[in-house]
Amino acid sequence: MNIYSHLPSAPEALRLSKSLLRSFLGPRSTPAENQPTPIEFDVHINSDTGFFPPQPLARLTGPFEIWESALDEAKENLVLGDNDWDASKTQAGVEWRARVASVSTPPLSTSQSILTCHQWSVINTDGLQNLRQQQRAHMVLAWILSYYVHSMPPSTTSDDIIIPRSIAVPLVTVSNALRIAPILTFADTVLWNWELIDRTLPVTIDNMLFHTFSGTDDERNFYVTSARAELGGVEMLRIFNDYQNLPNVNDLTSISKTARDLNKLAGVIDQLTEVIKGVRAVVDPHVFYWEVRPWFEGSQSRGPDEPKWIYEDCAASDTVDLSGPSAGQSSVMHALDIFLDIDHKLKERRAPAPSSENKRSDTGFMERMRRYMPGKHRDYLTHLAASSRPIRALAIQSPAIREPYDAAVTALKKLRDQHIRIACLYIVSMSRTTPPAGCGCPVSAMMEKLEQERAADKAAAKGPSRGTGGNELALLLKAGRDATRRAMIKDN
Ligand code: HEM
């Protein structure tokens, strides 16, 4: 290793020395001793998997095997409830749901009672022996829940949707143990939803196989893209960790390292932007919008007039968090926001002042999304947020860090600009199209075109597009981008 390449040049050393003098007035550093290590938060930075478990979660056995087989069967046979062109699939859904719910409702007929040969019951989750088994149980039950709700034919009434106790009770119990929302989350679709293609090879993106609801490559590639961003983020976690563990933040060596690491961070964020951009090549927007995204909807994702999900035998279904999964629940992205001190809640006085649209947006969204993360990951974020050496404050005091800090913020702002474009293409534009047609004949094509025009009118009348969390999409994402820009020191 050439150590000279890591030393500052003469003018840079002069600048750093001046900065050092000024830094004595800056934030006080605290010794790094007795700091919890990332691994205590289930964040495996050293083994390169970050918020992913270091190995895939093993299939559950014993009494829990019934959940695993129900999920296998659902993946094989179930389709979205509005897919009415394949009667055999519709029937498979009816039978599967009856079996899962058999513990709630007595069988109606002899033919249905035959279906209960695998006896469903409310399985006690005390038998799950460790964190990994609890995570697996959450993932399997959350997928079963999504299959249960979204394979139902579209409701013609506003009646609540009852989630049978066979799913609801163990899901809520295991969610309480993990301190995560009792619904499909980013962890269930990305962090815990994979196995190794070749078990003799390490955990890398090319060696991970993701499972899907729709059976499409588009859905698989959507998870791969999110996973790629998540694994790319491990390098950021290392940077945050190194900074937290510096014995002192004010000496010349530390300032020089921090400046270098912030520049490196800007480079990593640029790579994540490329990853997000890359989704266009591998995920078809129409397939995503019509065949993948409906599986992600949570309770009342389409608005407050939609039927609510009620968890049988679980107290206070009304107050639990039941939004759908989103990369907004990725702990890596939250860690980045915390490290750079992005003020999504508009609590700080920063320039340029928030627009009236910014103020109208859902400023509590990012904080709410943390409740959809595993509790241990949230603890890591809390730990990071409690740092006694906030980097933005240090950058304000230390000219040598200011520019690299602003470079990292600029990179994150550009990432959010790019993400807005993607979200608009995949959701806002696609909401004006019609679902894929069952037949390719010219009459059908003409009917489809007419239908599309009608749908566009309807979409315009329906108001703004919503995220899976039910929020107003464009307003939310732009507010996040503007909050990022507001962190720039040179404008303040
Ligand atoms: C087809 C690709 C994607 C689409 C359509 C999409 C769409 C969305 C939507 C609609 C939201 C609003 C929150 C909600 O769900 O209610 C959101 C939030 C978010 N997404 Fe994506 N997303 C995509 C890919 C990604 C990827 C690959 C990342 C990885 C970095 C990402 C990171 C985020 C973050 C961090 C948020 C929270 C809001 C913010 O930080 O600006 N998204 N996304």
Side-chain angles (χ1 to χ4, degrees):
M1 186 175 71
N2 177 5
I3 57 163
Y4 297 104
S5 64
H6 292 272
L7 293 175
S9 63
E12 197 189 356
L14 185 64
R15 207 156 53 88
L16 285 172
S17 318
K18 282 189 193 161
S19 156
L20 180 61
L21 279 176
R22 261 174 264 175
S23 297
F24 281 115
L25 304 168
R28 301 242 51 85
S29 61
T30 45
E33 66 215 33
N34 297 333
Q35 291 279 333
T37 65
I39 202 149
E40 286 167 52
F41 302 107
D42 187 32
V43 178
H44 294 256
I45 300 178
N46 294 331
S47 61
D48 288 343
T49 59
F51 291 95
F52 282 99
Q55 287 296 315
L57 302 178
R59 195 179 164 93
L60 298 171
T61 53
F64 310 109
E65 176 60 38
I66 197 165
W67 298 338
E68 295 275 3
S69 346
L71 180 56
D72 290 343
E73 200 189 321
K75 282 179 186 160
E76 195 66 25
N77 297 316
L78 266 54
V79 289
L80 285 169
D82 60 6
N83 182 338
D84 51 8
W85 45 265
D86 187 340
S88 70
K89 297 274 183 195
T90 309
Q91 184 55 24
V94 170
E95 293 175 6
W96 184 90
R97 287 193 302 280
R99 208 168 329 138
V100 170
S102 59
V103 67
S104 307
T105 41
L108 298 172
S109 68
T110 334
S111 68
Q112 273 185 335
S113 71
I114 294 165
L115 299 170
T116 60
C117 54
H118 306 285
Q119 194 54 59
W120 274 84
S121 60
V122 177
I123 298 171
N124 188 332
T125 55
D126 289 351
L128 296 166
Q129 278 161 7
N130 53 43
L131 175 73
R132 299 298 172 214
Q133 290 191 357
Q134 288 173 333
Q135 292 174 337
R136 175 85 190 182
H138 191 280
M139 191 265 282
V140 172
L141 287 164
W143 276 66
I144 290 177
L145 165 67
S146 298
Y147 272 116
Y148 188 88
V149 176
H150 298 305
S151 66
M152 285 179 186
S155 170
T156 47
T157 70
S158 59
D159 291 353
D160 291 335
I161 295 174
I162 307 296
I163 310 302
R165 59 177 69 97
S166 48
I167 308 174
V169 172
L171 179 57
V172 168
T173 318
V174 86
S175 301
N176 288 342
L178 292 168
R179 293 182 292 128
I180 188 173
I183 194 163
L184 192 76
T185 65
F186 180 76
D188 301 298
T189 50
V190 178
L191 300 182
W192 301 337
N193 170 34
W194 54 279
E195 55 187 283
L196 287 174
I197 296 168
D198 182 340
R199 287 187 201 179
T200 63
L201 294 177
V203 179
T204 58
I205 197 76
D206 296 329
N207 196 25
M208 291 164 109
L209 178 69
F210 290 87
H211 300 281
T212 64
F213 286 104
S214 61
T216 59
D217 281 342
D218 304 79
E219 183 180 348
R220 190 161 291 115
N221 290 334
F222 177 66
Y223 299 146
V224 170
T225 305
S226 301
R228 204 182 281 283
E230 197 71 14
L231 283 178
V234 174
E235 182 60 27
M236 303 199 296
L237 300 181
R238 258 191 229 117
I239 292 172
F240 308 157
N241 201 40
D242 279 5
Y243 177 73
Q244 295 303 332
N245 287 322
L246 283 174
N248 191 314
V249 288
N250 293 324
D251 62 87
L252 180 63
T253 321
S254 301
I255 289 190
S256 161
K257 174 169 169 51
T258 305
R260 268 198 321 272
D261 277 356
L262 280 167
N263 281 324
K264 210 196 278 174
L265 181 62
V268 177
I269 300 170
D270 284 344
Q271 284 165 15
L272 296 192
T273 305
E274 289 306 308
V275 169
I276 294 181
K277 229 191 242 179
V279 86
R280 296 220 28 199
V282 290
V283 179
D284 181 292
H286 199 259
V287 173
F288 175 79
Y289 187 81
W290 291 107
E291 296 178 48
V292 180
R293 196 165 178 263
W295 292 105
F296 298 161
E297 285 178 356
S299 177
Q300 296 187 309
S301 273
R302 291 186 193 184
D305 298 334
E306 291 292 306
K308 267 198 218 120
W309 301 8
I310 302 294
Y311 285 36
E312 205 175 42
D313 283 2
C314 298
S317 265
D318 271 6
T319 56
V320 290
D321 297 303
L322 296 179
S323 295
S326 154
Q329 298 162 3
S330 152
S331 304
V332 163
M333 297 306 290
H334 282 249
L336 179 58
D337 277 343
I338 289 172
F339 184 70
L340 293 177
D341 189 11
I342 308 301
D343 174 29
H344 288 287
K345 297 190 86 180
L346 304 181
K347 277 190 173 159
E348 311 285 337
R349 279 190 68 159
R350 289 183 185 169
S355 65
S356 58
E357 289 214 318
N358 288 165
K359 287 188 197 152
R360 243 183 351 104
S361 80
D362 180 356
T363 52
F365 175 80
M366 290 304 263
E367 195 175 43
R368 215 168 51 248
M369 286 299 107
R370 290 194 196 158
R371 304 205 293 256
Y372 292 80
M373 296 172 187
K376 282 193 173 210
H377 298 179
R378 196 165 49 247
D379 292 345
Y380 171 79
L381 299 180
T382 308
H383 167 69
L384 200 62
S387 166
S388 54
R389 44 173 70 163
I391 202 157
R392 187 168 185 274
L394 182 72
I396 290 171
Q397 303 289 346
S398 314
I401 298 183
R402 204 172 296 161
E403 246 178 64
Y405 171 86
D406 274 357
V409 172
T410 306
L412 183 56
K413 185 214 161 258
K414 282 190 189 149
L415 179 147
R416 288 204 154 107
D417 277 331
Q418 183 57 45
H419 179 259
I420 290 171
R421 274 179 228 128
I422 293 290
C424 281
L425 171 66
Y426 281 76
I427 297 173
V428 182
S429 308
M430 288 305 119
S431 68
R432 305 201 164 94
T433 63
T434 47
C439 125
C441 63
V443 177
S444 159
M446 196 178 73
M447 296 293 287
E448 197 183 325
K449 189 158 178 291
L450 279 174
E451 192 52 47
Q452 267 181 19
E453 284 165 10
R454 235 179 284 143
D457 292 346
K458 249 166 100 184
K462 211 168 57 182
S465 296
R466 289 173 182 275
T468 42
N471 48 72
E472 258 187 60
L473 191 56
L475 217 56
L476 173 86
L477 297 181
K478 283 184 186 158
R481 186 263 322 269
D482 295 347
T484 307
R485 191 182 52 189
R486 230 169 274 127
M488 300 265 291
I489 295 171
K490 79 172 171 47
D491 295 335
N492 280 273

